[in-house]
């Protein structure tokens, strides 16, 4: 079995100026995280947060299920990741994937991206591929943007792929020299608060 853990993300300053070539200071919050688990199977299976299993056939069936909105409760995140992985490594061995998370939902702590990044990490290992951090972040952005229709910038995925406290400049988001890791001890005491009812403003 393969397991990958990805922490939550906090945008401290500049969020969401990454979409406009700006600068962002953000960090990962290890107290909250998503874990994606994968075990070999005779076919691709994704399991949502509600425990529902979705058997996937390779290729068009995954795209059709995503387009029809047939998947939910996080299963669409795993299925979108499987679709991208099969495009890159068509011979990848089928696995069953599921996730567990302590990241509060719909409050800006990047819980969805954590699931996608975790799935990419475990499936990369299965395919014998070791991700570079920015390649991992770019692939996660492709899953959410191209496969799931989520409009967002690169900042969230870069922070979660690299980890820690980062000072990021987004004139060229995929330039490794544009992102500097900082000592978290530089931060003053920080408190993270959120609404316990997701999606309520």
């Amino acid at each position: 079995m393969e397991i990958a853990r990805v922490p939550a993300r906090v945008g401290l300053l500049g969020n969401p100026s990454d979409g406009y070539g700006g600068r962002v200071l953000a960090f990962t919050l290890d107290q909250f995280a998503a874990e994606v688990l994968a075990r070999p199977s005779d076919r691709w299976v994704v399991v949502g947060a509600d425990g529902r299993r979705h058997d996937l056939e390779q290729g068009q069936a995954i795209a059709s299920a995503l387009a029809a909105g047939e998947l939910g409760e996080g299963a669409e995140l795993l299925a979108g990741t499987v679709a991208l992985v099969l495009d890159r490594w068509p011979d990848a061995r089928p696995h069953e994937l599921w996730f567990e998370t302590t990241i509060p939902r719909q409050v800006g702590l990047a819980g969805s991206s954590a699931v996608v990044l975790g799935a990419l990490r475990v499936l990369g290992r299965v395919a014998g591929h070791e991700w570079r951090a920015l390649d991992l972040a770019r692939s996660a952005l492709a899953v959410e943007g191209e496969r799931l229709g989520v409009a967002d910038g690169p900042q969230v995925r870069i922070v979660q792929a690299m980890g820690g406290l980062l000072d990021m400049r987004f004139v060229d988001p995929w330039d490794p020299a544009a992102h500097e890791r900082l000592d978290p001890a530089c931060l003053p005491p920080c408190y993270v608060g959120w609404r316990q009812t997701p999606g309520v403003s």
Side-chain angles (χ1 to χ4, degrees), residues 4-82:
R5 183 181 188 275
V6 180
R9 180 261 357 184
V10 175
L12 188 61
L13 295 171
N15 186 41
S17 69
D18 57 306
Y20 310 98
R23 185 173 178 178
V24 179
L25 188 68
F27 60 89
T28 49
L29 187 66
D30 291 336
Q31 290 88 339
F32 299 109
E35 283 190 343
V36 177
L37 304 92
R39 62 185 169 205
S41 175
D42 60 354
R43 62 189 305 165
W44 289 100
V45 177
V46 296
V47 183
D50 57 1
R52 289 178 57 206
R53 294 167 51 88
H54 302 273
D55 292 347
L56 303 175
E57 296 292 345
Q58 293 190 13
Q60 186 59 37
I62 298 176
S64 297
L66 289 170
E70 297 172 3
L71 309 174
E73 294 297 324
E76 78 283 1
L77 302 171
L78 299 175
T81 306
V82 169

Side-chain angles (χ1 to χ4, degrees), residues 10-195:
V10 175
L12 188 61
L13 295 171
N15 186 41
S17 69
D18 57 306
Y20 310 98
R23 185 173 178 178
V24 179
L25 188 68
F27 60 89
T28 49
L29 187 66
D30 291 336
Q31 290 88 339
F32 299 109
E35 283 190 343
V36 177
L37 304 92
R39 62 185 169 205
S41 175
D42 60 354
R43 62 189 305 165
W44 289 100
V45 177
V46 296
V47 183
D50 57 1
R52 289 178 57 206
R53 294 167 51 88
H54 302 273
D55 292 347
L56 303 175
E57 296 292 345
Q58 293 190 13
Q60 186 59 37
I62 298 176
S64 297
L66 289 170
E70 297 172 3
L71 309 174
E73 294 297 324
E76 78 283 1
L77 302 171
L78 299 175
T81 306
V82 169
L84 181 138
V85 164
L86 289 176
D87 281 350
R88 297 195 180 182
W89 304 300
D91 297 327
R93 181 180 176 185
H95 276 68
E96 178 179 345
L97 289 92
W98 69 100
F99 68 94
E100 300 169 357
T101 185
T102 58
I103 301 175
R105 295 182 58 194
Q106 299 177 6
V107 295
L109 294 177
S112 296
S113 296
V115 172
V116 171
L117 284 158
L120 284 169
R121 279 186 173 146
V122 296
L123 292 178
R125 290 178 203 150
V126 166
H129 177 75
E130 188 64 36
W131 292 101
R132 295 184 179 184
L134 290 181
D135 291 338
L136 176 64
R138 178 179 265 174
S139 297
L141 186 62
V143 169
E144 295 191 76
E146 299 168 15
R147 310 286 171 159
L148 304 176
V150 176
D152 204 356
Q155 175 248 138
V156 167
R157 290 93 192 160
I158 290 173
V159 176
Q160 289 178 303
M162 295 183 71
L165 173 63
L166 296 177
D167 179 3
M168 297 165 287
R169 298 163 179 84
F170 287 97
V171 173
D172 179 359
W174 309 118
D175 177 4
H179 311 303
E180 180 183 0
R181 191 181 303 280
L182 303 177
D183 183 353
C186 296
L187 289 174
C190 295
Y191 298 89
V192 177
W194 66 92
R195 283 186 178 270

